[in-house]
Amino acid sequence: MQRGIDMSHAIIRNAKYKMANMQSISRHNERQNLNYGNEDIDTDKKDLNYHLKEPQENSYEKEFERLKEENQLKGNLRLTGKKQSNVACEFLITSDNDFFKKIGQVETKRYFEEAYQFACNKCGEKNIISAIVHMDETTPHMHLTYIPVVKGTSRKGQPIEKINCSEFWKGFNSYGELQDKFYEHMKEKGFDLERGQKNEDREQRREHLSVQKYKEETLQEQIKSLEVEKEEAKNLLNQIDEKINKLHKEEY
């Protein structure tokens, strides 16, 4: 058995998102873009991706609204303006590529199924917007987007469920505890993995960097998407101009 730095790690990271982020996340996760800034994405392998929970709506914004209404979720959310509320979170779950190659296709699928069950216990399956496994990149990984919901009481003292990201993650070193519990869960399910170093400062830096990297990637995709939309609009205007010129010629 391998030990120390040679062993693979159970990896789970969390990012928080505002409503303004939801469109780019949705388009990236659900592979709705025409082009991607991430060169690791092999579009020929798109069909290998699969859902453990598929959204009913065609965008995360609409699915958020559907779940909010269906589950009767409360919360004083600022959805527009500069100081928007965090309305969704996302677990990025993976390990290293060698680990997945070693355990094979069947066990890789079980890895993500067990990880999905872990996430359901953390955030509630009914609050999950989407859980999709990407097999079209160098390393298999799962994007699990969910609404952070906590229990509370209404002004009349009635029990309610409300969207509140800060309360959901309240507590000292909550991300470190998430890593611990995820590692323990996957180890219990028979996966030979390590948790990694427990230096909390390093953990926080790693979390920050992963989120920043993700934001940079989604920003690049937004730019690519805008460039494509600009080109499509330009082509459409050219077609309209040609039709107008043709009509003018016919009139004269």
Side-chain angles (χ1 to χ4, degrees):
M1 183 184 295
Q2 290 178 301
R3 293 289 179 189
I5 60 173
D6 293 329
M7 284 192 69
S8 298
H9 297 80
I11 298 172
I12 183 169
R13 294 170 182 163
N14 186 74
K16 304 173 186 178
Y17 295 112
K18 307 180 191 307
M19 189 59 77
N21 306 128
M22 297 290 271
Q23 183 178 5
S24 60
I25 301 164
S26 177
R27 294 184 68 83
H28 171 84
N29 291 0
E30 304 300 322
R31 294 302 192 244
Q32 295 169 335
N33 289 333
L34 296 176
N35 297 288
Y36 295 92
N38 186 350
E39 295 179 357
D40 286 340
I41 297 175
D42 185 348
T43 53
D44 292 335
K45 295 181 179 179
K46 179 181 176 181
D47 292 341
L48 298 178
N49 299 336
Y50 60 91
H51 285 89
L52 291 177
K53 184 178 183 184
E54 186 171 3
Q56 293 184 25
E57 301 291 343
N58 62 1
S59 72
Y60 286 4
E61 302 102 310
K62 291 180 181 179
E63 186 69 0
F64 170 84
E65 294 295 343
R66 187 187 73 80
L67 292 176
K68 183 173 179 288
E69 182 178 351
E70 182 178 286
N71 299 332
Q72 298 182 331
L73 301 177
K74 310 300 181 182
N76 297 318
L77 302 175
R78 297 186 299 273
L79 303 181
T80 58
K82 292 183 178 180
K83 295 184 178 181
Q84 294 184 29
S85 304
N86 290 312
V87 298
C89 296
E90 181 180 280
F91 289 141
L92 176 63
I93 297 172
T94 187
S95 184
D96 60 80
N97 196 35
D98 288 339
F99 170 74
F100 291 118
K101 285 181 178 178
K102 182 176 68 175
I103 66 175
Q105 184 177 353
V106 173
E107 280 293 274
T108 293
K109 186 173 183 181
R110 188 173 77 85
Y111 180 89
F112 290 115
E113 288 172 345
E114 295 294 355
Y116 178 76
Q117 289 305 314
F118 171 85
C120 288
N121 292 335
K122 174 66 179 174
C123 60
E125 187 170 24
K126 69 177 184 178
N127 299 317
I128 295 175
I129 293 172
S130 174
I132 183 169
V133 178
H134 284 168
M135 301 295 292
D136 60 353
E137 296 185 53
T138 303
T139 303
H141 57 276
M142 176 164 65
H143 293 278
L144 191 147
T145 311
Y146 63 97
I147 303 173
V149 176
V150 296
K151 296 186 183 299
T153 55
S154 67
R155 291 180 179 178
K156 295 182 179 180
Q158 298 296 320
I160 60 171
E161 290 188 320
K162 60 181 181 178
I163 303 168
N164 192 309
C165 190
S166 60
E167 280 192 35
F168 185 89
W169 287 106
K170 191 176 182 180
F172 177 74
N173 188 31
S174 54
Y175 286 151
E177 290 174 11
L178 173 71
Q179 289 277 2
D180 284 337
K181 290 178 181 177
F182 180 64
Y183 159 71
E184 290 166 6
H185 175 83
M186 300 309 288
K187 190 78 173 177
E188 182 183 319
K189 297 303 178 180
F191 294 99
D192 191 17
L193 295 161
E194 281 193 344
R195 191 269 186 213
Q197 289 183 310
K198 294 189 177 183
N199 183 303
E200 304 309 337
D201 289 337
R202 180 175 176 178
E203 191 68 42
Q204 290 168 8
R205 286 199 301 273
R206 190 188 313 171
E207 172 64 26
H208 175 72
L209 288 172
S210 66
V211 173
Q212 286 301 112
K213 185 176 180 181
Y214 192 92
K215 286 182 178 179
E216 288 170 6
E217 180 182 303
T218 53
L219 179 60
Q220 289 175 353
E221 286 164 7
Q222 283 180 298
I223 292 169
K224 283 279 187 180
S225 178
L226 287 171
E227 288 174 350
V228 171
E229 290 173 5
K230 181 180 177 182
E231 189 63 28
E232 289 175 348
K234 184 179 178 181
N235 291 335
L236 181 60
L237 285 172
N238 288 336
Q239 292 175 17
I240 292 171
D241 285 341
E242 288 177 4
K243 288 180 180 180
I244 291 173
N245 290 333
K246 185 177 180 182
L247 285 172
H248 280 312
K249 288 179 181 178
E250 289 175 354
E251 286 177 1
Y252 294 101

